[in-house]
Amino acid sequence: NAGVTQTPKFQVLKTGQSMTLQCAQDMNHEYMSWYRQDPGMGLRLIHYSVGAGITDQGEVPNGYNVSRSTTEDFPLRLLSAAPSQTSVYFCASRPGRVYGYTFGSGTRLTVV
Amino acid sequence: GENVEQHPSTLSVQEGDSAVIKCTYSDSASNYFPWYKQELGKGPQLIIDIRSNVGEKKDQRIAVTLNKTAKHFSLHITETQPEDSAVYFCAAPRGGSQGNLIFGKGTKLSVKP
């Protein structure tokens, strides 16, 4: 099993550009989430999904969209990048509600 | 709203000593408490978790204790080694969001040889 795979690992965007962060898991997990990690802020939930076709907002959803057309994939779209979105983004998945997450290795995004 | 407080933010110990990290949570309905270790440049990795029907769980040198009445849980690392140096995060379920986790702000543990 590859676990949770995130691409790209690094990305630099200009303000106003859009892009999609890819996330795929091969563990047949129903639950998937996107977190961002900023210094001194811990991990904050952006969006999550409890199964194909079902998504919902987390703590900091503004400026981001998600979709879940398959169990395996959960891409995160930045609609119009802003410097405040400079962060490290982690995708995570888990098999059910009362289980721990498996995290990907992260995408380091810089918006200039 | 729901909150998870984690202390201390930094912890430095000598190799072989014990380390304790404490977290408090606000949602009394929380029933699952994981701990994650994050090494530099990597994603967080689950190291141990506890469910609300037990008070303590051990796995070799690490243990987690839970006090539901006081709404706090702790990570204990015994016989620390330099490779235990990392940032540790506690987490608890966020109410009303299918159990998605709220994370503490992390504890940077340094183990000096």
Side-chain angles (χ1 to χ4, degrees):
Chain A
N1 284 352
V4 178
T5 302
Q6 290 184 239
T7 56
K9 293 192 183 301
F10 301 94
Q11 183 71 50
V12 178
L13 287 179
K14 293 182 179 179
T15 297
Q17 286 184 318
S18 63
M19 79 160 294
T20 300
L21 279 62
Q22 302 291 344
C23 175
Q25 53 95 5
D26 61 357
M27 298 171 284
N28 201 32
H29 287 173
E30 288 296 323
Y31 286 60
M32 296 186 75
S33 299
W34 276 101
Y35 284 86
R36 61 177 287 175
Q37 185 173 36
D38 303 291
M41 299 293 290
L43 291 144
R44 292 182 292 169
L45 181 66
I46 304 171
H47 285 286
Y48 66 97
S49 169
V50 298
I54 307 170
T55 64
D56 206 345
Q57 296 181 351
E59 304 168 67
V60 289
N62 292 342
Y64 307 95
N65 272 356
V66 291
S67 60
R68 185 96 180 271
S69 56
T70 67
T71 299
E72 294 78 21
D73 300 300
F74 190 43
L76 177 72
R77 280 182 288 277
L78 278 70
L79 309 173
S80 177
S84 61
Q85 294 178 305
T86 293
S87 186
V88 180
Y89 292 84
F90 288 102
C91 178
S93 74
R94 57 179 178 160
R97 186 181 177 125
V98 194
Y99 290 89
Y101 287 119
T102 298
F103 280 85
S105 57
T107 295
R108 184 174 294 274
L109 176 69
T110 301
V111 182
V112 297
Chain B
E2 299 89 353
N3 196 27
V4 174
E5 297 282 345
Q6 182 172 346
H7 299 280
S9 56
T10 60
L11 180 59
S12 182
V13 300
Q14 287 295 131
E15 183 177 358
D17 288 349
S18 295
V20 181
I21 304 169
K22 299 181 179 180
C23 286
T24 59
Y25 60 97
S26 57
D27 185 358
S28 58
S30 294
N31 58 359
Y32 175 71
F33 307 92
W35 285 90
Y36 288 85
K37 175 184 181 181
Q38 187 177 27
E39 296 175 333
L40 199 61
K42 297 184 178 180
Q45 181 182 12
L46 178 69
I47 56 171
I48 195 168
D49 56 14
I50 191 168
R51 289 174 172 76
S52 58
N53 58 344
V54 298
E56 183 176 3
K57 182 177 178 181
K58 283 186 177 180
D59 184 2
Q60 299 181 3
R61 295 187 297 107
I62 61 173
V64 56
T65 58
L66 172 64
N67 183 327
K68 287 182 63 180
T69 303
K71 291 192 283 188
H72 66 70
F73 56 111
S74 300
L75 177 71
H76 304 254
I77 306 174
T78 59
E79 300 173 24
T80 53
Q81 301 168 3
E83 51 264 39
D84 294 329
S85 297
V87 179
Y88 292 82
F89 292 95
C90 63
R94 176 172 175 254
S97 71
Q98 298 286 349
N100 269 295
L101 297 174
I102 304 175
F103 285 81
K105 288 185 168 48
T107 297
K108 184 176 182 180
L109 174 64
S110 299
V111 180
K112 298 181 178 179

